Amino acid sequence: MLQDEKYQEQIQRIFAKYPDKRSAVMPLLYLAQEAYGWLPEEALDEVAELCDIDPTQVKSIAGFYTMYRETPKGKYWLQVCTDLPCALRGADQFYEELKAYLEVEEGGTTEDGLFTVEHVMCLAACDRAPMLQCNFHYMENLDMDKMRAWIEERRAEAREKEQKS
Amino acid sequence: MENILLRNRTIPEIGTFETYLEHGGWEAFKKAFSMSPDEVIQEVLNSNLRGRGGAGFSTGRKWSFIPKDAERKYVVVNADESEPGTFKDRELLEFNAQQVIEGAMIAAYAIQATAVYIYFRGEFWDIAHNFEQEIAKAREANLIGQNILGGDWSCEFYTHLGAGAYICGEESAMLNSLQGLLGQPRVKPPFPVMKGGGLYYEPTVVNNVETLANVPWIIVNGADAYRAIGTPESPGPKIFCLSGHIAKAGNYEIPLGTTFRELLYDLAGGPQHEGKGFKALLPSGASGPVIPLTEDMMDTPMTYESLVELGSVLGSASFIVMEEGTDMVWAAYKMAQFFKHESCGKCTPCREGTYWLNQLMTRIISGQGTMRDLEILENAATQMQGKSLCALGEFATSPILGTLKHYRAEFEAYVNGEKQKELPASKTVAVAH
């Protein structure tokens, strides 16, 4: 998929930043993730070929970090910080209630494919806890009232879209 | 005091190139450019600016270590802010981007760098994309790029996004990550400033975001004026991040040497809940020892030195505050989990040590621990010290040993069967005595 014409300019821009090909592996993994929605085997192979390194090495890098999706996720990937500063301001309870409301276990995805929930380590927003990262954007100063309203809005959007199609 | 770092608090649009210029932006860089690189290093050295990432090392000295004859040299800006309780760089990057860019370009000029890379933690996704636009504006104005300000020196400025790994804040792990290798620390020496130790194994200055944000002010106002702020050993302004049980959580820019009382009560409004007193403080996020937060210490000035005397470290000044009633064993357990997750797995003492600290803490907190476990816990943590490749293995022992030292009775309540916590099934461990 990264061979598609539409990605070539972005790929060239990434390579231009670094003196060697290997350094492009992280930005290219992000690009592959955007293209595929997650990182299946073939995406890793494509990145390996572009960077001229072994697919095993690409896989080890993808596995080392928490922001690469090694499995498919829901449309909204909710990563709740439950580290100590957030936990002192109620993040543990918030996380438990969020999972219960969505009826998923840790790391699980809702049946409608909309939400994946997991907990992560510090996101550098401790003064605005409870907080979470949704597809790389922050949602802060949360409580379950706000979350329920937001979740129902996303569900309504999805239903509307389905009816139209 | 007027803000030197968080200027966005009084000038909301200061982060944009246009507004930054209107308020004296890039004057410092132009002044530095009229000086020799050595004069710039000397000025920063004289200011006694100390690294704000946590180690407190002299910034001017670090710059002076770069060999002059090296053909390729780099500046890497450490924007991988990931320490629990730390969110100061984020505010600077989000709202005062140009000042960080200018500070980095002054560092680059001082060492005659060929390029600057800023390594953002992956979660600063939006911030990094905005930052690229601000870099582009400075490039258009010939402050970055080819033949800067019409001279012979050329220097590019690139952004790089991490992808979620605390260890990449360690400078050599960051360099590996940038090079497309696993984000694990290197054996040192050679240090990053030396040939063989830096980015692409070329001499490299790695500076924290807040450190660089201090530099333009120092160049414009001079080292003497800078040293007049704060204390002689710990000069300058510092951003303190307050989180946890505090009435007004957030960033506070104050001179080093301000007292605990002024910060925690006068500025931040005291404990979060009315009627409760303070209990404990983690002054440097999860990485420094926990200390009791007592009335006796309230009038102590906060400096790199005074926190050591109190049995902890100032580090990045990320104050996680805890009120009366906080379960200190639970707090230590939380941090044990953090370090177990974030250990990169390269060296044995840290990989195994963080695993076992977490196993022991889990056993104790679920009410299945014994007095013998407390001994093993203390022993395992002590054994890890001074044995790992980087500071993470060292940091991981701080919360455990600090808590054991000051709050041992709370541990004993757990192993004596007086207390236990229900943990989710995924968090429990098999018990073998």
Side-chain angles (χ1 to χ4, degrees), chain A residues 17-18 22-23 25-26 30 61 64-67 82-83 88-89 92 121-122 124-127 133 137-138 140, chain B residues 84-87 90 117 121-123 126 159-160 162-164 177-178 180-181 183 200 244-246 334 338 342:
Chain A
K17 284 184 179 185
Y18 310 98
R22 183 179 189 124
S23 303
V25 62
M26 290 182 72
Y30 275 129
I61 288 167
F64 188 79
Y65 299 96
T66 55
M67 290 176 69
T82 56
D83 254 335
L88 288 168
R89 295 177 91 93
D92 277 338
M121 299 298 160
C122 189
C126 324
D127 54 336
Q133 173 173 251
H137 304 290
Y138 282 9
E140 301 168 318
Chain B
T86 314
F87 41 87
R90 180 177 168 221
Y117 286 87
R121 66 176 299 174
E123 292 86 347
D126 295 333
T159 61
H160 181 93
S177 178
L178 244 167
L181 303 162
Y200 303 109
H245 293 149
I246 187 82
K334 276 289 201 188
F338 175 79
E342 298 298 349

Side-chain angles (χ1 to χ4, degrees), chain A residues 15-59:
Chain A
F15 277 128
K17 284 184 179 185
Y18 310 98
D20 68 7
K21 281 184 168 182
R22 183 179 189 124
S23 303
V25 62
M26 290 182 72
L28 286 176
L29 279 171
Y30 275 129
L31 188 65
Q33 180 162 280
E34 200 181 301
Y36 285 89
W38 63 295
L39 291 171
E41 201 86 16
E42 52 185 310
L44 299 172
D45 289 345
E46 286 178 12
V47 172
E49 201 182 317
L50 281 165
C51 294
D52 206 8
I53 54 178
D54 199 271
T56 317
Q57 291 174 315
V58 176
K59 202 164 190 174

Side-chain angles (χ1 to χ4, degrees), chain B residues 332-372:
Chain B
Y333 160 74
K334 276 289 201 188
M335 289 182 279
Q337 286 202 310
F338 175 79
F339 286 113
K340 189 235 158 205
H341 183 268
E342 298 298 349
S343 174
C344 80
K346 181 168 180 171
C347 70
T348 316
C350 177
R351 182 184 63 242
E352 294 297 311
T354 53
Y355 171 81
W356 282 107
L357 294 184
N358 183 51
Q359 291 285 97
L360 285 158
M361 285 305 303
T362 305
R363 188 148 92 184
I364 292 164
I365 203 161
S366 54
Q368 298 167 80
T370 62
M371 287 303 274
R372 174 87 180 116

Side-chain angles (χ1 to χ4, degrees), chain A residues 89-104:
Chain A
R89 295 177 91 93
D92 277 338
Q93 198 189 339
F94 171 79
Y95 178 56
E96 292 306 319
E97 287 176 16
L98 180 60
K99 280 188 299 181
Y101 186 71
L102 290 171
E103 297 175 334
V104 289

